[in-house]
Amino acid sequence: FKVLGEDGYDDGGVADLSLLIDLEDSVQRRKRGENEYFTALKADLLPRATRGPMAKMTRREQKVSLAQLLFSEDDDCEDKGPSEVYVDQNMLDEDDATMKHRADRLAQARAALRLSLLLREPACASLSLSELCKRKLTQAGKEGAEEALRCADKAIEIAGPGFWDSDEVQLEAEDNPVLDPKYEKNATSPGLANPTTLKLLPLRVSQLCMRSALLQRGNALAAIGDETEARITYERVFPILEGEPRCARVDWERHSVHVNIGNTQARTGDFDKADGHYKIAEDLGSDHISEKGGSEDDGRAMILCARRARSFALKKVGRMDEAKALMGEVIKQKVADDEASAKRKEDDAARAAEAGGAGEDPAAEATA
């Protein structure tokens, strides 16, 4: 889709993904030098999983598997989509199939963290910890908030300018991590924004990981009930997003931050401040609908998300009639948007089939 206010188009995050996964092993090659790197590659001395089901896979193939663990989403995945708005989970109403699916998703994030550490890919380790935070909140709700916050803090540590302890991070990859109260931290691994690391990779890698980690940390703090600290954490995302393009992919981050900040204020009873953030979030969606070439589906989804949050905020301050009326509008618009989206997909499929038929070889068709 088109980048709003500019001539170019968004690449869908492909360039950022290539930085994070580093299939070409650019960091290892800069660190070791070309000759030493390829000698180690030929001798199978580069870091990779050498036991278990991935033992026969090359380092590159293991990185592809890591990307799938981190970024792939099933069609029936409940957290599928670009929104990172925190929603309090009601664990009592969930069926066994849903809970099993959430547990499986959590296990995938732990597997991604283990593989990231084996491959010595700190950016992927940071992203894995952010995913652990997100999926722990989904799987356990407020009961898992402390563990989720711990994962987010470690993700921020890896993304930052200081040092982090790989053994301490490794603990989060276990199914039931138990912290030793007498453990003495040994932070010797440089963070992604550390000057030593920046000689090998661009600062953008740190920024991408930090954006994700801060958002999830804010969500974990919101689950704990620390609204002030959650709001401060969310606000730390804004400076990192300055200068980023106005594309749907990045605007969803801006949108999520604004709605999350609004929700922290709504939960403390300050509807006016909350509504200011909901309006900004809604305007972000409106821009994608009004500008030619924008992502209309994303724009409509952003508007609905902001209005839904506003409805819940109205309910919290006792304005029940307004809340019900607005939620009725949201539901009606959601049904209409889903129908329109389904119709567009049918039309696109029909046009593709027609174009495919028109391109067939007449001689081959006659032979058939």
Side-chain angles (χ1 to χ4, degrees), residues 259-273:
V259 173
N260 280 325
I261 291 174
N263 287 344
T264 64
Q265 290 164 332
R267 286 190 290 266
T268 54
D270 194 340
F271 176 79
D272 290 337
K273 284 186 178 180

Side-chain angles (χ1 to χ4, degrees), residues 28-40:
Q28 286 285 339
R29 290 162 70 170
R30 292 189 189 110
K31 189 175 182 179
R32 294 169 178 262
E34 295 289 317
N35 289 338
E36 183 182 336
Y37 170 80
F38 284 106
T39 300

Side-chain angles (χ1 to χ4, degrees), residues 149-171:
L149 179 59
R150 192 174 68 236
C151 290
D153 284 338
K154 290 178 182 178
I156 290 171
E157 210 169 44
I158 295 174
F163 294 84
W164 55 283
D165 184 344
S166 58
D167 291 334
E168 188 181 46
V169 170
Q170 178 71 50
L171 181 68

Side-chain angles (χ1 to χ4, degrees), residues 123-142:
C124 292
S126 179
L127 291 173
S128 298
L129 286 163
S130 295
E131 279 297 309
L132 269 172
C133 174
K134 175 182 176 179
R135 297 179 191 185
K136 187 64 182 178
L137 287 176
T138 303
Q139 185 257 349
K142 292 183 178 181

